[in-house]
Amino acid sequence: IIGARWYIKGYEAEFGKLSPSDGVEFLSPRDAVGHGTHTSSTASGAEVKNANFRGLAQGIARGGAPSSWLAIYKVCWATGGCSSADVLAAIDDAIFDGVDIISASLGSPPPLSTYVDDALAIGSFHAVARGISVVCSAGNTGPYPQTVINTAPWVMTVAASTIDRDFPAVITLGNNQTVVGQSFYTGRGLNKFHPIVYGANIAATNIDGTSAGSCDLETLNATLARGKVILCFQSRWQRSAAIASKSVLELKGAGVIFAQFPTKDVSCPWSFPCVQVDFEAGTSLLTYMAASRKPVVKFSYSKTVIGQQLAPEIAYFSSRGPSSLSPSVLKPDIAAPGVDILASWSPASSSKLLNSPQTKASPFNFKLDSGTSMACPHISGIVALLKGIHPKWSPAAIKSALVTT
């Protein structure tokens, strides 16, 4: 890292004063969330041996272009806000500082502003005109068409794809049958049988079965949930394993099995016993529960397995084209790994998924994360390597070489 700047004037003019006293943010380039650390270390960073997230995905970590220099421009804040004025100021400074590549894992969801109104499109246009390649994330509102963002023709727009690594966790039923899901949990309290109930069967008073079946917040009977593993099915209204886990944790449940459509990214929180399974596995669990007088299950510890998954495929969440602003310009341009990616994380991060008593939430230096934000810096690193070999190539030549290879 050869420089780090931060931009707050536009943010405070647009959203009001930002107070660092609550311990959530720092009025400095320091990363309070982890996102910026993760993305920058993916693009550039020296080798770190024995990198892992709570024992998972263990190995040597390094950035895509480990010998490159990194300049950081912090324009987004822990609240989620980024001001257009700050984005433009940062790009101005980056151009003046003489950067070769701008990696921008940020953007606004549709409706897309015209290219003359969108800060990233304006700023990147001036950068590209000066020979600076600009790489942007495609957005995380897939799999629906016309959801891709950062669609200016002069930037490289990156979709997220899977890699051949997964994190299986085995669920053993009381009849010795097993079901396999995915999980990040490696804490205490596993390998012990617990009673299992379906959320819809323990709905709180005046709550319908659908809401309780997906374990939405405040939908379960506290007495009947305590000490049990709750089976939850994703619904149209409640699609989050994290919300189901929070709901069960608050009622002192023992764990969650979250059944959903098949997807490769693990959305279960790492700090509470939660296993993500597909609808087929969830339905077979219901069949076992119906046939057993006292149904019980136990979780195994999550493992890291490489080479079993077919990869790459486009991540479910990755925004799809065509561009809603200029459908004739093909977007996204390229895909890169963006599912359960291990990279550096800020120990100062304020983003605690769950305050679980079963897990000491000690700071960590590496974390698994998913998104087109994680895919974008993979391409930025490759652009840096290409630029090193072909310093006179224009951004258009580099983009052409990558998307046609």
Side-chain angles (χ1 to χ4, degrees), residues 120-147:
L120 206 49
I122 297 165
S124 61
F125 182 85
H126 288 278
V128 169
R130 286 164 175 78
I132 300 166
S133 292
V134 180
V135 186
C136 298
S137 49
N140 302 322
T141 44
Y144 310 107
Q146 302 183 358
T147 51

Side-chain angles (χ1 to χ4, degrees), residues 38 140 184 265-266 317 338-341 368-374:
H38 199 282
N140 302 322
F184 284 157
D265 63 307
V266 181
F317 60 75
V339 175
D340 299 335
I341 302 302
L368 291 156
D369 209 355
S370 297
T372 54
S373 282
M374 284 66 239

Side-chain angles (χ1 to χ4, degrees), residues 4 7 39 87 118 125 175 219 269 273 288 320 344 376 385:
Y7 301 81
T39 51
V87 171
D118 178 61
F125 182 85
N175 60 6
T219 60
Y288 157 69
R320 286 4 184 216
S344 301
C376 168
L385 297 177

Side-chain angles (χ1 to χ4, degrees), residues 25-367:
E25 209 18 301
F26 306 100
L27 294 181
S28 77
R30 189 179 183 189
D31 181 8
V33 176
H35 181 276
T37 305
H38 199 282
T39 51
S40 55
S41 69
T42 301
S44 172
E47 283 191 359
V48 178
K49 288 180 180 165
N50 199 30
N52 67 88
F53 175 64
R54 302 178 62 79
L56 297 172
Q58 201 152 0
I60 296 174
R62 70 165 177 85
S67 59
S68 57
W69 291 345
L70 200 56
I72 307 290
Y73 301 83
K74 178 179 171 182
V75 295
C76 294
W77 298 85
T79 55
C82 321
S83 160
S84 294
D86 291 335
V87 171
L88 283 169
I91 293 175
D92 263 355
D93 283 346
I95 293 169
F96 180 79
D97 291 341
V99 305
D100 297 295
I101 299 142
I102 293 174
S103 185
S105 289
L106 53 91
S108 304
L112 301 184
S113 302
T114 60
Y115 297 137
V116 293
D117 291 316
D118 178 61
L120 206 49
I122 297 165
S124 61
F125 182 85
H126 288 278
V128 169
R130 286 164 175 78
I132 300 166
S133 292
V134 180
V135 186
C136 298
S137 49
N140 302 322
T141 44
Y144 310 107
Q146 302 183 358
T147 51
V148 64
I149 62 169
N150 297 326
T151 60
W154 45 88
V155 305
M156 288 183 68
T157 310
V158 187
S161 60
T162 61
I163 58 177
D164 66 342
R165 179 176 66 196
D166 57 339
F167 304 96
V170 177
I171 302 166
T172 305
L173 317 185
N175 60 6
N176 256 353
Q177 288 184 327
T178 56
V179 168
V180 180
Q182 286 211 91
S183 175
F184 284 157
Y185 186 74
T186 57
R188 300 193 302 271
L190 297 186
N191 281 324
K192 185 172 136 193
F193 279 105
H194 292 280
I196 179 172
V197 291
Y198 174 35
N201 294 339
I202 57 164
T205 312
N206 299 325
I207 298 292
D208 67 276
T210 308
S211 299
S214 64
C215 303
D216 208 348
L217 294 171
E218 298 176 1
T219 60
L220 303 174
N221 181 300
T223 309
L224 298 175
R226 183 185 287 263
K228 296 187 178 72
V229 170
I230 315 295
L231 174 62
C232 316
F233 275 75
Q234 182 185 60
S235 69
R236 188 175 168 189
W237 297 274
Q238 206 302 88
R239 300 182 172 203
S240 167
I243 285 176
S245 296
K246 188 170 190 286
S247 176
V248 173
L249 172 66
E250 285 175 353
L251 303 180
K252 296 186 169 54
V256 166
I257 299 171
F258 193 75
Q260 61 172 88
F261 54 77
T263 176
K264 301 291 170 66
D265 63 307
V266 181
S267 54
C268 266
W270 56 267
S271 54
F272 182 68
C274 169
V275 179
Q276 190 176 309
V277 298
D278 60 20
F279 283 133
E280 184 186 343
T283 305
S284 72
L285 281 165
L286 274 182
T287 306
Y288 157 69
M289 289 157 67
S292 173
R293 191 170 292 171
K294 288 187 177 175
V296 291
V297 294
K298 70 175 178 180
F299 297 163
S300 74
Y301 288 97
S302 185
K303 293 191 307 187
T304 306
V305 174
I306 296 169
Q308 299 294 309
Q309 293 269 22
L310 279 175
E313 63 181 50
I314 297 299
Y316 183 85
F317 60 75
S318 188
S319 292
R320 286 4 184 216
S323 162
S324 56
L325 181 59
S326 42
S328 58
V329 180
L330 288 175
K331 290 287 177 175
D333 295 296
I334 195 165
V339 175
D340 299 335
I341 302 302
L342 184 83
S344 301
W345 198 255
S346 170
S349 168
S350 59
S351 57
K352 301 286 183 284
L353 294 183
L354 282 172
N355 296 316
S356 168
Q358 290 161 290
T359 306
K360 285 183 182 172
S362 54
F364 29 75
N365 298 316
F366 282 84
K367 189 165 180 288

